[in-house]
Amino acid sequence: LQKSLSETFGADKYSRARKEVLTYMFSRPMQMALYFCTGVLHDESLFHHYALNVPFYTHFTSPIRRYADIVVHRLLSASLGVRSPITMEKEAIQKQADHCNDRKMASKRVQELSADLFFSVFVRVRP
């Protein structure tokens, strides 16, 4: 599969861009992660990470990247007793999570449309 993909990517000045777009398109069917407040959801199976096969999972990146990651850092710090508890109600946290999910989905849609445009140009010029 890797050899076939490498041949498809080619070796010209656009090979890296083709590789990124096609790799992105191959991973597109994967389910996108969503932010949510655990205090609002009562079905603990929603906390499960399928690929890692762990019952409770949280993910975050550096808190300088996204607001949702800042909230996760603050909540984890509070749960470990490193900082004072957050005073937001769980419904307000869920509202913030919903907003972050909406913005992430909009961004992903623009990325998909851009990849579709590039792919259509790639197919059009490819012999």
Side-chain angles (χ1 to χ4, degrees):
L1 181 60
Q2 183 61 38
K3 182 181 176 195
S4 175
L5 287 175
S6 294
E7 290 172 3
T8 301
F9 299 150
D12 62 3
K13 65 181 181 178
Y14 298 111
S15 62
R16 182 171 178 217
R18 276 194 294 276
K19 178 180 180 181
E20 288 181 24
V21 169
L22 292 173
T23 301
Y24 168 76
M25 291 180 81
F26 296 147
S27 64
R28 203 193 255 178
M30 297 167 141
Q31 183 180 5
M32 196 161 108
L34 296 174
Y35 296 109
F36 61 90
C37 178
T38 58
V40 174
L41 300 178
H42 300 290
D43 182 2
E44 288 188 0
S45 69
L46 297 172
F47 308 163
H48 181 262
H49 190 286
Y50 176 78
L52 297 176
N53 194 26
V54 293
F56 298 102
Y57 178 81
T58 188
H59 173 83
F60 52 91
T61 62
S62 168
I64 62 170
R65 292 194 57 207
R66 296 185 204 113
Y67 177 72
D69 298 318
I70 293 170
V71 173
V72 172
H73 273 255
R74 289 176 181 169
L75 289 168
L76 285 173
S77 295
S79 71
L80 295 171
V82 176
R83 64 169 293 157
S84 57
I86 291 182
T87 57
M88 289 176 69
E89 296 291 325
K90 58 187 174 186
E91 291 78 12
I93 294 173
Q94 182 59 47
K95 188 175 179 178
Q96 288 290 328
D98 291 339
H99 178 72
C100 290
N101 288 332
D102 289 344
R103 296 296 82 217
K104 189 167 74 163
M105 293 282 202
S107 173
K108 183 172 176 60
R109 183 67 183 137
V110 169
Q111 184 180 9
E112 289 172 351
L113 291 171
S114 174
D116 289 347
L117 176 63
F118 184 87
F119 185 70
S120 66
V121 171
F122 167 69
V123 169
R124 180 182 229 175
V125 299
R126 187 89 176 153

